[in-house]
Amino acid sequence: EQILAQVVKDGTNDAETYRQFAEILGVLQRHPQSITQARKAQELDHLNARMSHSVAWAYFRNKDYESALKSSEVVIQVDEDSFAGYHNKAFALIGMGQDIEAEKNLRLAYEKSGQKPFYLARLGYGLGVLGKKEEAAKLLDQLERIAQTEPEKVKAHHFGLLYLGMGEVDKAIEWLDQGKRI
């Protein structure tokens, strides 16, 4: 954090540096500063959906769901195939209590990702959070089948995330803590 802070203080026009700094600040729960750094990244590279995604995620972490939603829509405007944009939009909508639209966007994120296992896990997590645990369990089964046929595509944190969404915290921690590899 200190190195990135110094680079930013000394002056940089590198959007990625600001984006990385924003992510670190977000993890440290320094949300207002995270938003500021993410917005600087976006200003420097406003056509890069990744920078707008970082802004949306910074707002989401700050529980400013309306701003997260607006920023997610910017991501989608910049790149209509941005699975991250639809993912961010879904979680902003969950925060706003708009579950039907949230589910629609979770499914769009998964489809736009090319049905990658990571976004399958995120879809399952989201469905679990929305109370659709039976559907999430089916996605867990699907993830297990993928892990058997294409183990290089599935990571332990995919299972941890899905279990967390289903409310099975002990199993989520087991996957994350032990770092089980498929």
PDB file of all heavy atoms in Angstrom, residues 55-72:
ATOM      1  N   VAL A  55     -14.581   1.254 -10.390  1.00  0.00           N
ATOM      2  CA  VAL A  55     -15.404   2.296  -9.759  1.00  0.00           C
ATOM      3  C   VAL A  55     -16.679   1.669  -9.198  1.00  0.00           C
ATOM      4  O   VAL A  55     -17.055   1.926  -8.045  1.00  0.00           O
ATOM      5  CB  VAL A  55     -15.746   3.426 -10.762  1.00  0.00           C
ATOM      6  CG1 VAL A  55     -16.750   4.401 -10.159  1.00  0.00           C
ATOM      7  CG2 VAL A  55     -14.489   4.167 -11.194  1.00  0.00           C
ATOM      8  N   ALA A  56     -17.339   0.851 -10.005  1.00  0.00           N
ATOM      9  CA  ALA A  56     -18.578   0.214  -9.560  1.00  0.00           C
ATOM     10  C   ALA A  56     -18.340  -0.633  -8.309  1.00  0.00           C
ATOM     11  O   ALA A  56     -19.114  -0.586  -7.351  1.00  0.00           O
ATOM     12  CB  ALA A  56     -19.154  -0.655 -10.686  1.00  0.00           C
ATOM     13  N   TRP A  57     -17.251  -1.393  -8.313  1.00  0.00           N
ATOM     14  CA  TRP A  57     -16.957  -2.264  -7.169  1.00  0.00           C
ATOM     15  C   TRP A  57     -16.616  -1.440  -5.931  1.00  0.00           C
ATOM     16  O   TRP A  57     -16.999  -1.805  -4.822  1.00  0.00           O
ATOM     17  CB  TRP A  57     -15.842  -3.230  -7.532  1.00  0.00           C
ATOM     18  CG  TRP A  57     -15.828  -4.432  -6.638  1.00  0.00           C
ATOM     19  CD1 TRP A  57     -14.827  -4.808  -5.805  1.00  0.00           C
ATOM     20  CD2 TRP A  57     -16.869  -5.395  -6.470  1.00  0.00           C
ATOM     21  NE1 TRP A  57     -15.184  -5.962  -5.141  1.00  0.00           N
ATOM     22  CE2 TRP A  57     -16.426  -6.337  -5.529  1.00  0.00           C
ATOM     23  CE3 TRP A  57     -18.129  -5.556  -7.034  1.00  0.00           C
ATOM     24  CZ2 TRP A  57     -17.205  -7.422  -5.131  1.00  0.00           C
ATOM     25  CZ3 TRP A  57     -18.907  -6.641  -6.634  1.00  0.00           C
ATOM     26  CH2 TRP A  57     -18.433  -7.551  -5.695  1.00  0.00           C
ATOM     27  N   ALA A  58     -15.938  -0.317  -6.106  1.00  0.00           N
ATOM     28  CA  ALA A  58     -15.620   0.559  -4.966  1.00  0.00           C
ATOM     29  C   ALA A  58     -16.910   1.111  -4.347  1.00  0.00           C
ATOM     30  O   ALA A  58     -17.050   1.139  -3.117  1.00  0.00           O
ATOM     31  CB  ALA A  58     -14.700   1.696  -5.411  1.00  0.00           C
ATOM     32  N   TYR A  59     -17.841   1.521  -5.171  1.00  0.00           N
ATOM     33  CA  TYR A  59     -19.132   1.990  -4.647  1.00  0.00           C
ATOM     34  C   TYR A  59     -19.878   0.859  -3.958  1.00  0.00           C
ATOM     35  O   TYR A  59     -20.488   1.059  -2.901  1.00  0.00           O
ATOM     36  CB  TYR A  59     -20.001   2.564  -5.764  1.00  0.00           C
ATOM     37  CG  TYR A  59     -19.649   3.979  -6.165  1.00  0.00           C
ATOM     38  CD1 TYR A  59     -19.343   4.282  -7.484  1.00  0.00           C
ATOM     39  CD2 TYR A  59     -19.640   5.013  -5.231  1.00  0.00           C
ATOM     40  CE1 TYR A  59     -19.033   5.577  -7.867  1.00  0.00           C
ATOM     41  CE2 TYR A  59     -19.330   6.309  -5.601  1.00  0.00           C
ATOM     42  CZ  TYR A  59     -19.035   6.586  -6.924  1.00  0.00           C
ATOM     43  OH  TYR A  59     -18.733   7.866  -7.291  1.00  0.00           O
ATOM     44  N   PHE A  60     -19.837  -0.333  -4.548  1.00  0.00           N
ATOM     45  CA  PHE A  60     -20.524  -1.470  -3.945  1.00  0.00           C
ATOM     46  C   PHE A  60     -19.964  -1.748  -2.545  1.00  0.00           C
ATOM     47  O   PHE A  60     -20.712  -1.940  -1.594  1.00  0.00           O
ATOM     48  CB  PHE A  60     -20.402  -2.720  -4.829  1.00  0.00           C
ATOM     49  CG  PHE A  60     -21.034  -3.927  -4.196  1.00  0.00           C
ATOM     50  CD1 PHE A  60     -22.406  -4.095  -4.231  1.00  0.00           C
ATOM     51  CD2 PHE A  60     -20.259  -4.873  -3.546  1.00  0.00           C
ATOM     52  CE1 PHE A  60     -23.002  -5.208  -3.627  1.00  0.00           C
ATOM     53  CE2 PHE A  60     -20.840  -5.983  -2.947  1.00  0.00           C
ATOM     54  CZ  PHE A  60     -22.219  -6.144  -2.990  1.00  0.00           C
ATOM     55  N   ARG A  61     -18.652  -1.778  -2.440  1.00  0.00           N
ATOM     56  CA  ARG A  61     -18.028  -2.031  -1.135  1.00  0.00           C
ATOM     57  C   ARG A  61     -18.429  -0.980  -0.103  1.00  0.00           C
ATOM     58  O   ARG A  61     -18.487  -1.258   1.082  1.00  0.00           O
ATOM     59  CB  ARG A  61     -16.504  -2.039  -1.272  1.00  0.00           C
ATOM     60  CG  ARG A  61     -15.956  -3.290  -1.862  1.00  0.00           C
ATOM     61  CD  ARG A  61     -14.441  -3.212  -1.903  1.00  0.00           C
ATOM     62  NE  ARG A  61     -13.873  -4.468  -2.326  1.00  0.00           N
ATOM     63  CZ  ARG A  61     -12.721  -4.566  -2.961  1.00  0.00           C
ATOM     64  NH1 ARG A  61     -12.012  -3.488  -3.236  1.00  0.00           N
ATOM     65  NH2 ARG A  61     -12.258  -5.739  -3.305  1.00  0.00           N
ATOM     66  N   ASN A  62     -18.704   0.223  -0.581  1.00  0.00           N
ATOM     67  CA  ASN A  62     -19.103   1.324   0.296  1.00  0.00           C
ATOM     68  C   ASN A  62     -20.612   1.297   0.580  1.00  0.00           C
ATOM     69  O   ASN A  62     -21.136   2.175   1.244  1.00  0.00           O
ATOM     70  CB  ASN A  62     -18.700   2.663  -0.331  1.00  0.00           C
ATOM     71  CG  ASN A  62     -18.702   3.793   0.658  1.00  0.00           C
ATOM     72  OD1 ASN A  62     -18.241   3.657   1.795  1.00  0.00           O
ATOM     73  ND2 ASN A  62     -19.237   4.927   0.253  1.00  0.00           N
ATOM     74  N   LYS A  63     -21.299   0.307   0.031  1.00  0.00           N
ATOM     75  CA  LYS A  63     -22.745   0.143   0.175  1.00  0.00           C
ATOM     76  C   LYS A  63     -23.535   1.301  -0.427  1.00  0.00           C
ATOM     77  O   LYS A  63     -24.658   1.585  -0.026  1.00  0.00           O
ATOM     78  CB  LYS A  63     -23.133  -0.115   1.630  1.00  0.00           C
ATOM     79  CG  LYS A  63     -22.530  -1.401   2.155  1.00  0.00           C
ATOM     80  CD  LYS A  63     -22.954  -1.723   3.546  1.00  0.00           C
ATOM     81  CE  LYS A  63     -22.268  -3.028   3.939  1.00  0.00           C
ATOM     82  NZ  LYS A  63     -22.444  -3.375   5.295  1.00  0.00           N
ATOM     83  N   ASP A  64     -22.935   1.946  -1.406  1.00  0.00           N
ATOM     84  CA  ASP A  64     -23.619   2.978  -2.185  1.00  0.00           C
ATOM     85  C   ASP A  64     -24.117   2.288  -3.452  1.00  0.00           C
ATOM     86  O   ASP A  64     -23.511   2.365  -4.517  1.00  0.00           O
ATOM     87  CB  ASP A  64     -22.644   4.124  -2.512  1.00  0.00           C
ATOM     88  CG  ASP A  64     -23.297   5.252  -3.288  1.00  0.00           C
ATOM     89  OD1 ASP A  64     -24.449   5.084  -3.759  1.00  0.00           O
ATOM     90  OD2 ASP A  64     -22.651   6.303  -3.448  1.00  0.00           O
ATOM     91  N   TYR A  65     -25.219   1.586  -3.300  1.00  0.00           N
ATOM     92  CA  TYR A  65     -25.704   0.707  -4.359  1.00  0.00           C
ATOM     93  C   TYR A  65     -26.195   1.467  -5.592  1.00  0.00           C
ATOM     94  O   TYR A  65     -26.037   0.982  -6.709  1.00  0.00           O
ATOM     95  CB  TYR A  65     -26.785  -0.230  -3.821  1.00  0.00           C
ATOM     96  CG  TYR A  65     -26.292  -1.064  -2.659  1.00  0.00           C
ATOM     97  CD1 TYR A  65     -26.941  -1.042  -1.435  1.00  0.00           C
ATOM     98  CD2 TYR A  65     -25.151  -1.856  -2.782  1.00  0.00           C
ATOM     99  CE1 TYR A  65     -26.484  -1.801  -0.368  1.00  0.00           C
ATOM    100  CE2 TYR A  65     -24.680  -2.613  -1.726  1.00  0.00           C
ATOM    101  CZ  TYR A  65     -25.358  -2.581  -0.519  1.00  0.00           C
ATOM    102  OH  TYR A  65     -24.888  -3.324   0.529  1.00  0.00           O
ATOM    103  N   GLU A  66     -26.781   2.635  -5.375  1.00  0.00           N
ATOM    104  CA  GLU A  66     -27.234   3.416  -6.542  1.00  0.00           C
ATOM    105  C   GLU A  66     -26.054   3.847  -7.401  1.00  0.00           C
ATOM    106  O   GLU A  66     -26.103   3.745  -8.628  1.00  0.00           O
ATOM    107  CB  GLU A  66     -28.053   4.623  -6.085  1.00  0.00           C
ATOM    108  CG  GLU A  66     -29.453   4.236  -5.669  1.00  0.00           C
ATOM    109  CD  GLU A  66     -30.356   5.432  -5.457  1.00  0.00           C
ATOM    110  OE1 GLU A  66     -30.202   6.436  -6.175  1.00  0.00           O
ATOM    111  OE2 GLU A  66     -31.217   5.332  -4.573  1.00  0.00           O
ATOM    112  N   SER A  67     -24.984   4.323  -6.773  1.00  0.00           N
ATOM    113  CA  SER A  67     -23.794   4.707  -7.540  1.00  0.00           C
ATOM    114  C   SER A  67     -23.132   3.488  -8.170  1.00  0.00           C
ATOM    115  O   SER A  67     -22.631   3.563  -9.295  1.00  0.00           O
ATOM    116  CB  SER A  67     -22.793   5.454  -6.653  1.00  0.00           C
ATOM    117  OG  SER A  67     -23.356   6.684  -6.211  1.00  0.00           O
ATOM    118  N   ALA A  68     -23.150   2.368  -7.461  1.00  0.00           N
ATOM    119  CA  ALA A  68     -22.594   1.123  -8.019  1.00  0.00           C
ATOM    120  C   ALA A  68     -23.391   0.710  -9.255  1.00  0.00           C
ATOM    121  O   ALA A  68     -22.808   0.302 -10.269  1.00  0.00           O
ATOM    122  CB  ALA A  68     -22.615   0.008  -6.972  1.00  0.00           C
ATOM    123  N   LEU A  69     -24.710   0.856  -9.181  1.00  0.00           N
ATOM    124  CA  LEU A  69     -25.556   0.505 -10.322  1.00  0.00           C
ATOM    125  C   LEU A  69     -25.250   1.408 -11.516  1.00  0.00           C
ATOM    126  O   LEU A  69     -25.059   0.930 -12.637  1.00  0.00           O
ATOM    127  CB  LEU A  69     -27.030   0.614  -9.929  1.00  0.00           C
ATOM    128  CG  LEU A  69     -28.044   0.313 -11.023  1.00  0.00           C
ATOM    129  CD1 LEU A  69     -27.906  -1.119 -11.517  1.00  0.00           C
ATOM    130  CD2 LEU A  69     -29.457   0.570 -10.515  1.00  0.00           C
ATOM    131  N   LYS A  70     -25.165   2.707 -11.270  1.00  0.00           N
ATOM    132  CA  LYS A  70     -24.866   3.651 -12.357  1.00  0.00           C
ATOM    133  C   LYS A  70     -23.499   3.358 -12.972  1.00  0.00           C
ATOM    134  O   LYS A  70     -23.345   3.378 -14.196  1.00  0.00           O
ATOM    135  CB  LYS A  70     -24.909   5.094 -11.837  1.00  0.00           C
ATOM    136  CG  LYS A  70     -26.305   5.582 -11.539  1.00  0.00           C
ATOM    137  CD  LYS A  70     -26.281   6.987 -10.959  1.00  0.00           C
ATOM    138  CE  LYS A  70     -27.671   7.408 -10.499  1.00  0.00           C
ATOM    139  NZ  LYS A  70     -27.644   8.678  -9.776  1.00  0.00           N
ATOM    140  N   SER A  71     -22.519   3.079 -12.132  1.00  0.00           N
ATOM    141  CA  SER A  71     -21.179   2.774 -12.643  1.00  0.00           C
ATOM    142  C   SER A  71     -21.160   1.458 -13.414  1.00  0.00           C
ATOM    143  O   SER A  71     -20.451   1.339 -14.411  1.00  0.00           O
ATOM    144  CB  SER A  71     -20.176   2.728 -11.489  1.00  0.00           C
ATOM    145  OG  SER A  71     -20.054   4.010 -10.911  1.00  0.00           O
ATOM    146  N   SER A  72     -21.943   0.497 -12.963  1.00  0.00           N
ATOM    147  CA  SER A  72     -22.037  -0.781 -13.679  1.00  0.00           C
ATOM    148  C   SER A  72     -22.633  -0.574 -15.059  1.00  0.00           C
ATOM    149  O   SER A  72     -22.203  -1.190 -16.039  1.00  0.00           O
ATOM    150  CB  SER A  72     -22.900  -1.767 -12.896  1.00  0.00           C
ATOM    151  OG  SER A  72     -22.321  -2.039 -11.649  1.00  0.00           O
TER     152      SER A  72
END
